[in-house]
Amino acid sequence: MRLFHEGLADKVFYLTAKTTGSDVALATFRRFLEQGFDARCSIIYSKERLCLRPGHSCNPDDCPFAKEYYTKLNLAKQKAAGEGRVYDSVFLSKFCRENSICPFEFQLDLSEESDLIIADYNYLFDPFVRLERYFGDDRDPSRYVALIDEGHNLVERGRMMYSARIDSRE
């Protein structure tokens, strides 16, 4: 892909409103790999979808996968890079269970090693959940390309992200 090999971009973000959009993007990436494409892909999931200990808090005292996370991180990233090029929920669940590391946090750290990141619109556009490591106020996103799947859905999603709500009960 010219973007990477000619140094025109560091990462491509494929942003979608629906899981089906993510599935199609991932299937397409897998086809590229079959044709010899040399790249890595991360899919960003919600914490609820990846958590290996639902109902427990995300702290080292309550979750063994959070315990010593940063001590295990570098070795886990090296190991993951040797085991695959697609970091999807199947890979993350199996790998993180075997290596006792938090899959939610690990997917974010592992995304730094990826060329393509597939994620929901929220991870770029929502000020409360955007990926600060890429799109924070102190970051320069000019080396990234964002592909917006079904951009017509972004209008309604944007309204939900940026509209205030008042609840009389509160």
Side-chain angles (χ1 to χ4, degrees):
M1 185 176 236
R2 277 187 59 208
L3 290 172
F4 303 125
H5 297 291
E6 293 184 17
L8 299 174
D10 294 332
K11 293 194 184 304
V12 172
F13 290 84
Y14 188 88
L15 304 164
T16 182
K18 301 174 183 170
T19 303
T20 54
S22 296
D23 294 343
V24 170
L26 180 57
T28 301
F29 182 79
R30 288 184 193 279
R31 290 189 65 192
F32 285 174
L33 289 177
E34 290 169 6
Q35 300 297 317
F37 186 55
D38 182 24
R40 296 183 191 283
C41 174
S42 285
I43 297 87
I44 305 297
Y45 301 97
S46 68
K47 189 179 290 189
E48 295 77 22
R49 180 162 177 188
L50 288 181
C51 184
L52 298 173
R53 300 222 354 143
H56 292 81
S57 63
C58 294
N59 70 61
D61 296 329
D62 197 32
C63 180
F65 299 100
K67 190 171 189 157
E68 298 178 2
Y69 177 81
Y70 292 102
T71 303
K72 300 182 256 184
L73 179 60
N74 286 335
L75 182 59
K77 282 173 71 172
Q78 290 173 5
K79 190 174 178 183
E83 290 187 19
R85 300 186 107 20
V86 175
Y87 308 125
D88 60 1
S89 61
V90 173
F91 175 87
L92 289 165
S93 179
K94 182 179 185 295
F95 182 89
C96 292
R97 192 174 301 282
E98 290 172 357
N99 292 277
S100 293
I101 195 163
C102 174
F104 178 74
E105 292 298 329
F106 189 59
Q107 75 172 341
L108 298 174
D109 288 317
L110 198 54
S111 74
E112 294 173 349
E113 310 302 319
S114 294
D115 305 293
L116 172 64
I117 299 173
I118 301 171
D120 187 272
Y121 293 159
N122 292 343
Y123 292 108
L124 170 58
F125 296 108
D126 190 317
F128 297 107
V129 297
R130 73 179 177 196
L131 296 172
E132 291 292 324
R133 68 185 64 216
Y134 300 112
F135 305 114
D137 293 334
D138 62 337
R139 303 292 183 189
D140 176 15
S142 65
R143 301 281 306 152
Y144 307 142
V145 172
L147 301 174
I148 311 299
D149 181 43
E150 297 189 44
H152 61 276
N153 290 319
L154 189 54
V155 175
E156 183 58 33
R157 186 72 77 84
R159 282 189 192 115
M160 293 183 331
M161 287 180 216
Y162 291 95
S163 295
R165 289 175 183 76
I166 298 173
D167 186 340
S168 62
R169 293 173 291 190
E170 293 177 3

